[in-house]
Structures are given as C-alpha cells and as structure tokens.
C-alpha cells in the first residue's frame, strides 16, 4: 500500500481525467459562444428586437379590455 508507483499512477490518471473534462468543457463553451455570436449577427440583420411593453402599459391595456367587455355587455343588454 505504500508503493510510490501506485500514487504516481493514480495522480497521473486523475490529472489526465481532469484534463479531458477541462478540454471538453472548453470546447462546449466555445461552441456556445459561437452560437450566441451567430444569434447576435442575425438579430443585427433584422434590427433590434422589439421591446416588451412595460408593466404599467400592460395594466392599462387590461383595464381598457375590461371596459370594452363591460360596454359590450351593456350594449347586448346583459346585467353585470
């Protein structure tokens, strides 16, 4: 159990495994970066992405829709 060759072999195998995992992770990272660069290039061709409406604008739209529903119900003669 105190054989130094065993420890050196285990250390070398561990280092080799760590190197393989590191290179695989690095290749995946580079691929993800390339994908994001392509997405940004395509987005640049079509102009900027449309901005999402703010929360206050969505609340106002919901309020207007509710008012329209009430007016339609009144026009149809339905009691609310």
């Amino acid at each position: 159990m105190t054989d130094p060759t065993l420890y050196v072999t285990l250390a070398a195998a561990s280092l080799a495994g760590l190197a393989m995992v590191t290179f695989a992770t690095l290749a995946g990272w580079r691929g993800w970066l390339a994908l994001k660069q392509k997405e940004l290039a395509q987005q640049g061709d079509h102009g900027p992405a449309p901005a999402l409406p703010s929360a206050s604008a969505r609340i106002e739209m919901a309020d207007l829709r509710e008012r329209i529903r009430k007016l339609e119900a009144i026009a149809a003669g339905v009691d609310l």
Side-chain angles (χ1 to χ4, degrees):
M1 196 63 158
T2 59
D3 186 24
T5 309
L6 175 67
Y7 294 124
V8 170
T9 305
L10 286 176
S14 298
L15 186 61
L18 181 62
M20 284 189 257
V21 170
T22 301
F23 285 123
T25 304
L26 182 60
W29 175 252
R30 287 180 179 163
W32 184 82
L33 285 178
L35 174 67
K36 290 299 173 182
Q37 285 177 343
K38 286 180 183 178
E39 287 178 359
L40 288 174
Q42 286 178 351
Q43 187 179 31
D45 294 341
H46 302 307
L52 295 175
S54 65
S56 62
R58 290 185 296 200
I59 291 170
E60 186 175 341
M61 287 298 294
D63 184 43
L64 290 173
R65 287 186 186 120
E66 185 62 30
R67 287 182 186 180
I68 290 172
R69 281 191 210 112
K70 287 180 182 179
L71 289 173
E72 287 174 345
I74 291 171
V78 176
D79 289 331
L80 296 177

